[in-house]
Amino acid sequence: MIDELHTYIHSLRRYAYVLCRNAADSDDLVQETLTKAIARAQTFRAGMDLRAWLFGILHNTFVSDKRQYARRARAAKFLENAVPEPDTTSDQEKHVEAETTIRMLSRLTADQQAALILVAVEGLSYEEAAAILDVPVGTLMSRLARGREQLRRLVRGQDPSPLRAVR
């Protein structure tokens, strides 16, 4: 199990970045996730999905530390719109598209962002994503539908606020 952790680091970093919206905080979150995974390796059973287990640890760590991340985000507000440097193989057009997508995602609710990233970007099944987020599958599907519709409105240049959830 520990030998396979490196396989999922890139995906964990991508999801952590969406949650934190800050490269330094997302790297810290991934490091804490991997530390917890290694410390709790004995709880991982054969036949379990390692990726889903790691994403669950990451998500639960984020939720538990949400107040701490909020303080960090306020202290580093100038980095709010920062996008990680593109790797050397990506071209300018892909970088601009990724930056635009991240900006659009940041206008969705946190619940919608998490659902979209886990399903659309990470390729998890609805059941796996619902388990990670600790919500029923129907709730996950509803968040996905609302998030996708808001993204469509944003792409069309329409105001997504009529669909935004009230907290």
Side-chain angles (χ1 to χ4, degrees):
M1 186 273 307
I2 293 176
D3 296 334
E4 296 177 48
L5 289 179
H6 67 84
T7 307
Y8 301 107
I9 291 175
H10 182 70
S11 295
L12 290 169
R13 289 184 76 206
R14 189 171 41 219
Y15 182 53
Y17 184 80
V18 169
L19 293 174
C20 298
R21 295 187 192 121
N22 177 290
D25 289 345
S26 63
D27 286 343
D28 290 346
L29 179 58
V30 170
Q31 182 176 350
E32 188 173 351
T33 298
L34 295 173
T35 301
K36 286 181 178 182
I38 291 169
R40 298 178 186 153
Q42 73 279 1
T43 65
F44 184 79
R45 292 179 188 61
M48 288 176 68
D49 182 356
L50 178 60
R51 182 174 68 160
W53 186 68
L54 290 170
F55 273 90
I57 293 171
L58 186 137
H59 184 78
N60 290 335
T61 300
F62 175 76
V63 170
S64 298
D65 297 342
K66 196 171 186 177
R67 289 182 198 148
Q68 179 181 3
Y69 281 101
R71 281 192 305 268
R72 286 183 185 174
R74 283 190 303 273
K77 188 164 180 115
F78 69 95
L79 293 175
E80 197 170 82
N81 294 322
V83 175
E85 289 294 320
D87 63 23
T88 56
T89 60
S90 67
D91 60 2
Q92 185 65 21
E93 193 172 299
K94 287 182 182 177
H95 178 68
V96 170
E97 185 178 317
E99 188 175 317
T100 302
T101 302
I102 289 170
R103 268 198 223 113
M104 287 181 180
L105 277 172
S106 71
R107 294 189 58 195
L108 302 179
T109 66
D111 292 337
Q112 292 169 353
Q113 288 176 27
L116 280 168
I117 294 301
L118 289 174
V119 173
V121 177
E122 298 304 332
L124 295 173
S125 70
Y126 288 179
E127 291 79 14
E128 290 170 324
I132 289 168
L133 297 174
D134 195 27
V135 297
V137 173
T139 300
L140 174 80
M141 292 170 64
S142 176
R143 290 176 182 174
L144 284 169
R146 286 192 314 269
R148 287 174 177 151
E149 180 57 31
Q150 287 220 35
L151 284 176
R152 281 188 209 99
R153 287 172 170 263
L154 287 167
V155 167
R156 289 186 216 129
Q158 297 173 334
D159 181 16
S161 58
L163 297 177
R164 195 159 190 122
V166 178
R167 290 184 175 210

